[in-house]
Amino acid sequence: MMAVEQSLRSLLTEGAQAGTFGPGSKLPTERALVEQLSAPRSAIRRALEVLERDGLVIRHVGRGTFLTEAVLQPVEGAPANTSPAEIMQVRLLLEPQVATLAARVATQADLDRITECLDAGGSSEDFDGFESWDARLHRAIAQAVHNGLLMNMFDVLNTARALPVWGTLKRRTSTPELRRCYHGEHTAIVDALRDRDSAGSGEAMRIHLENVSDNLLGRH
């Protein structure tokens, strides 16, 4: 049940951050959530009870379940002077371990979402499209761990990736050939995740991030 609760929390938080949900928004029906999260109806109901207890949702008999303002609590961002080297240090410390754990606990719905991000990134022919799906892919892998504290940490990291210095460096070093290389590395990560290969997932993520670091920072 805990995994269902965390999946539902992630769904609501991501929707709130993306603007899909807001305070007062009506949640999908229980039946829709059962299909979306691939979970039993009893687990969905119990997860909704926990979210209501925590003040994230409010339920009205005969009307449905609605979000409260608590779901929009902001995550404090990274310092404005965070350097690309610092970003890559943290990514290399965090993301290989995240991939290792995701291979063990990801649901089929998680793996499907990860694969969708991979395929969309591979189909992107320009820098902006690829970078958008790159960020979504890495976030989807983190979401597959179903840990709210981890997602807060990951979202702080993502605020650092949104800093101008990071974007400028990425754009300056990006080429179609390099994007194809990164897509191949992403594919290796996702293949290992789908095979439930924990060690292989972590190693594929480490190799990918070390390559990104070398290309961005010129270090070997």
Side-chain angles (χ1 to χ4, degrees), residues 167-185:
T168 299
L169 184 56
K170 285 286 298 236
R171 187 178 293 275
R172 189 169 68 238
T173 57
S174 180
T175 64
E177 181 181 12
L178 189 57
R179 291 194 291 272
R180 286 192 294 270
C181 175
Y182 288 163
H183 178 65
E185 293 169 357

Side-chain angles (χ1 to χ4, degrees), residues 151-169:
M151 286 312 303
N152 278 350
M153 296 169 62
F154 201 86
D155 285 337
V156 169
L157 180 58
N158 273 347
T159 66
R161 293 181 66 185
L163 294 172
V165 64
W166 173 265
T168 299
L169 184 56

Side-chain angles (χ1 to χ4, degrees), residues 111-175:
L111 295 173
D112 290 343
R113 182 169 61 247
I114 290 167
T115 302
E116 288 173 6
C117 293
L118 173 71
D119 292 343
S123 301
S124 299
E125 298 181 356
D126 63 342
F127 170 82
D128 291 323
F130 183 84
E131 283 299 303
S132 175
W133 284 110
D134 179 307
R136 294 186 198 185
L137 171 66
H138 284 270
R139 193 174 194 277
I141 294 171
Q143 283 181 300
V145 174
H146 302 285
N147 184 306
L149 178 59
L150 172 66
M151 286 312 303
N152 278 350
M153 296 169 62
F154 201 86
D155 285 337
V156 169
L157 180 58
N158 273 347
T159 66
R161 293 181 66 185
L163 294 172
V165 64
W166 173 265
T168 299
L169 184 56
K170 285 286 298 236
R171 187 178 293 275
R172 189 169 68 238
T173 57
S174 180
T175 64

Side-chain angles (χ1 to χ4, degrees), residues 33-52:
L33 290 173
V34 164
E35 295 178 357
Q36 190 166 357
L37 299 179
S38 301
R41 194 161 192 163
S42 59
I44 294 294
R45 287 177 175 172
R46 176 58 184 154
L48 288 171
E49 289 174 3
V50 174
L51 295 185
E52 184 176 33

Side-chain angles (χ1 to χ4, degrees), residues 23-115:
S25 293
K26 185 176 181 180
L27 270 63
T29 63
E30 287 184 2
R31 177 176 295 180
L33 290 173
V34 164
E35 295 178 357
Q36 190 166 357
L37 299 179
S38 301
R41 194 161 192 163
S42 59
I44 294 294
R45 287 177 175 172
R46 176 58 184 154
L48 288 171
E49 289 174 3
V50 174
L51 295 185
E52 184 176 33
R53 182 197 66 199
D54 292 347
L56 295 179
V57 302
I58 184 169
R59 296 191 287 177
H60 298 287
V61 177
R63 292 178 52 205
T65 304
F66 300 83
L67 279 182
T68 69
E69 292 184 0
V71 78
L72 288 175
Q73 290 178 345
V75 175
E76 185 177 352
N81 63 347
T82 302
S83 70
E86 289 174 322
I87 293 172
M88 289 311 308
Q89 285 174 350
V90 175
R91 293 189 69 187
L92 278 161
L93 285 171
L94 182 65
E95 293 193 58
Q97 298 303 319
V98 170
T100 297
L101 183 55
R104 295 201 297 267
V105 302
T107 65
Q108 186 58 49
D110 293 327
L111 295 173
D112 290 343
R113 182 169 61 247
I114 290 167
T115 302

